[in-house]
Structures are given as structure tokens and as C-alpha cells.
Amino acid sequence: MRNFNLTPDLAPLYRSAIGFDRLAQLAEHAAANNANSGYPPYNIELLGENRYRITMAVAGFAMSELDIMSEGEKLLVKGNKTAKTDERKYLHQGIAERGFERTFQLADYVRVIGAELEHGLLNIDLVREIPEAMKPRKIDITATNTLS
């Protein structure tokens, strides 16, 4: 039986696309990042033209057990569940009481502007602020006087 690798090989892209190596690295990271897919569940919303919100279901976590760090173009959300000292006997345990670490790759000029914990949902608000030098601008066309 043959094993098929479903991860795309992006090596040809590195040879022919100058300056797009970061894009290829992001694609490789997304294809290889299967461990980061299930817990905790989350939504990513578009609130406006340049506003976003990540909502994570973190029921059972206190604010002191959650950490959010933004470094460069990465957003890291960690949940460190403190160990319980009481011994419970569960007939069914469907609520996960484990820590987590989830990383989000942010686009250029996206930054975190705030976070709040409400009803077991962690809302992280983001905004994309494009510098004036990077925004499109109109170039005026002038006519040259060729009749002298």
C-alpha cells in the first residue's frame, strides 16, 4: 500500500517567485499545522473594512488562566488550566479541562486593539492600519509644452 503525502511541495515556487518566499512559508505552515485545529473552537469575524474579531470558546477558564501575546505578525493565545485538587468521578466528561495554545498568523499592519472575556467567550479585537505611504494615491498628469 502506498502512502500519499497531501502536503504540497512548494519548492518550485521558491525558484521562480522572487520576494514571495514569505507567502510560500505561510502556505507550508498552514498545511502542516494540523495540531492547532480543534481545541478550543473559535470564530473569525469581519466587523468592518479593516476590523476583525476572533472569538474563542474558553468556558471554564478564568481571566487569570488566559494569556494573549502579540509579537510581530503572530498572535498567541494560551490557556493554562490550574490542576484541581478534588477528585471527582465523572460518568461522562465532555467539557475539556486542559490547557491550550493557539497561534494566529496576522497579516501586515494588523494589530490587536483589545480583548474581553464574557460568558465563556474570549473576544479579541483587531484592526488593520495601513500607513499613509502604503495607501494608493492619485498621480497628477501634467502636459509638456512642445510648442516653443
Side-chain angles (χ1 to χ4, degrees):
M1 182 175 203
R2 296 182 96 170
N3 291 333
F4 293 100
N5 185 3
L6 297 178
T7 305
D9 180 20
L10 299 174
L13 184 60
Y14 288 118
R15 290 193 299 264
S16 61
I18 291 123
F20 290 94
D21 53 339
R22 184 171 168 271
L23 179 63
Q25 288 170 349
L26 287 174
E28 282 179 347
H29 177 71
N33 198 7
N34 294 331
N36 206 11
S37 62
Y39 177 75
Y42 66 94
N43 294 333
I44 301 175
E45 299 174 72
L46 177 63
L47 300 177
E49 185 178 346
N50 291 312
R51 293 181 48 237
Y52 306 90
R53 175 175 286 162
I54 299 171
T55 302
M56 299 179 72
V58 293
F61 282 86
M63 275 197 283
S64 61
E65 296 172 325
L66 296 169
D67 287 315
I68 303 172
M69 295 186 57
S70 178
E71 182 179 344
E73 294 169 351
K74 287 191 179 186
L75 174 65
L76 176 65
V77 182
K78 284 185 184 180
N80 298 312
K81 200 68 180 150
T82 56
K84 300 240 179 181
T85 56
D86 61 341
E87 301 248 349
R88 294 183 181 182
K89 282 191 168 183
Y90 291 102
L91 298 177
H92 171 76
Q93 185 176 6
I95 300 172
E97 291 187 350
R98 65 180 186 267
F100 67 89
E101 187 172 308
R102 182 170 294 278
T103 304
F104 296 94
Q105 187 72 34
L106 302 179
D108 292 336
Y109 313 115
V110 173
R111 67 179 185 90
V112 178
I113 58 171
E116 66 179 6
L117 182 63
E118 181 181 18
H119 304 297
L121 296 174
L122 176 64
N123 294 312
I124 305 168
D125 292 322
L126 305 115
V127 65
R128 180 176 50 198
E129 295 175 333
I130 301 172
E132 284 297 321
M134 300 299 289
K135 290 182 181 178
R137 60 186 175 96
K138 182 165 175 54
I139 309 297
D140 293 328
I141 302 170
T142 59
T144 58
N145 188 0
T146 57
L147 302 172
S148 297

